[in-house]
Amino acid sequence: GIIKRLNEIGSLPIVTGGTGLYINSLIYDLNFSPIAPNKILRDKYDKILLNEGSIGLYNLLKELDPVSAKKIDQNNHQRLMRALEVTESSGIPFSKYNKDFRKESQKYDLAYYCLNMDREKLYDRINLRVDIMLEKGLIGEVSNLLNKGYNKDMLSMKAIGYKEIILYLEGIIPLSQAIEMIKQGSRNYAKRQLTWFRRDNRIKWIDVDNYQSKDEMIDFVIKDVSTTLNI
């Protein structure tokens, strides 16, 4: 992939982001269930979804793999379908895959950093970000997507910010409540991210409050990467 090509020309790949699973797919040995899609099973699950909703898929998974059922949102029909598909196709419960979820990969030399800051300051910035999203037209964006045929049951429309605005547009909650739900959901997500990354002892934590500017922080990272990777 891209990392391999960059390595071949002597360039240093830099991966950024906050989604733990995507990062773990690079730095841990994860088995993402090499089970090919099964059309017969998918048709079966589509019928269950149509007739019973996501709860029908969830109840079936509870029977076949209760461990996975506890970990998957009962409204996330795509993940429910994949867990069922892997379980029924292979005869092995989906929960048995990736049991060595924290087995470190030896594929890359790694310099690993995570930003952190005072919790109250972080939450204030998250709240401000939500206000800016609304000022820049979040409500209109969600409304336009709904008018184009995207519906609230789609996984993409369940993202923080979308699902709350949909509740407002449907008249179920007032706008003030929708805004507070977005802010609360975003703060909770940030908290879960920090908890996720604290599990990895390879991470070097960077306290943003200790630096006068972004350039100062970047200079530290550049020097530390050079030392860590001997480049």
Side-chain angles (χ1 to χ4, degrees):
I2 295 174
I3 291 177
K4 181 179 179 181
R5 294 200 300 272
L6 289 173
N7 284 332
E8 288 173 348
I9 64 175
S11 293
L12 177 66
I14 299 175
V15 179
T16 64
T19 305
L21 182 59
Y22 293 158
I23 294 175
N24 279 18
S25 69
L26 288 175
I27 63 175
Y28 289 93
D29 287 330
L30 300 186
N31 174 1
F32 282 104
S33 313
I35 304 296
N38 185 311
K39 187 177 185 307
I40 294 176
L41 288 175
R42 285 285 171 155
D43 288 344
K44 168 185 169 182
Y45 305 144
D46 284 337
K47 289 178 181 178
I48 294 175
L49 181 63
L50 180 64
N51 295 324
E52 303 175 39
S54 292
I55 192 64
L57 297 171
Y58 180 75
N59 288 335
L60 178 59
L61 186 61
K62 272 205 306 186
E63 293 179 16
L64 300 178
D65 184 5
V67 174
S68 287
K70 288 181 180 180
K71 297 178 180 179
I72 299 177
D73 184 344
Q74 67 182 36
N75 294 314
N76 191 336
H77 66 268
Q78 290 185 333
R79 288 198 65 197
L80 291 168
M81 283 184 177
R82 184 54 181 161
L84 285 166
E85 184 177 44
V86 170
T87 299
E88 294 203 87
S89 292
S90 68
I92 300 173
F94 186 69
S95 57
K96 297 294 184 182
Y97 287 88
N98 293 331
K99 292 207 72 174
D100 292 330
F101 200 67
R102 291 279 162 184
K103 183 179 178 182
E104 297 176 4
S105 172
Q106 304 302 315
K107 191 174 182 179
Y108 305 111
D109 292 327
L110 179 68
Y112 196 4
Y113 305 90
C114 189
L115 303 182
N116 198 10
M117 65 190 309
D118 175 78
R119 185 63 59 91
E120 291 304 315
K121 288 183 181 179
L122 175 61
Y123 287 172
D124 285 344
R125 291 186 65 172
I126 288 172
N127 291 338
L128 177 60
R129 176 178 176 271
V130 174
D131 290 335
I132 292 172
M133 287 167 59
L134 287 158
E135 290 174 8
K136 290 185 176 293
L138 177 61
I139 296 175
E141 177 184 340
V142 176
S143 180
N144 287 336
L145 288 172
L146 293 173
N147 289 336
K148 289 180 179 179
Y150 295 87
N151 65 71
K152 63 182 180 181
D153 294 323
M154 293 178 172
L155 186 60
S156 59
M157 299 299 281
K158 295 180 182 293
I160 297 172
Y162 280 19
K163 63 179 183 290
E164 295 86 357
I165 294 300
I166 289 174
L167 291 175
Y168 160 66
L169 292 173
E170 290 181 337
I172 297 174
I173 59 175
L175 180 58
S176 59
Q177 184 178 351
I179 293 172
E180 183 50 44
M181 288 172 65
I182 296 172
K183 291 179 177 179
Q184 183 65 58
S186 299
R187 294 194 297 266
N188 290 343
Y189 183 70
K191 185 177 180 180
R192 289 196 300 271
Q193 284 180 311
L194 290 169
T195 299
W196 177 286
F197 289 114
R198 284 196 184 102
R199 299 170 185 164
D200 197 316
N201 294 326
R202 293 173 295 176
I203 289 179
K204 294 183 180 179
W205 288 86
I206 298 177
D207 191 334
V208 176
D209 296 321
N210 291 339
Y211 294 87
Q212 299 298 316
S213 67
K214 290 181 182 178
D215 288 340
E216 184 181 336
M217 189 165 51
I218 291 170
D219 286 342
F220 163 75
V221 172
I222 291 174
K223 292 175 182 176
D224 196 78
V225 168
S226 298
T227 300
T228 302
L229 302 181
N230 295 316
I231 55 176

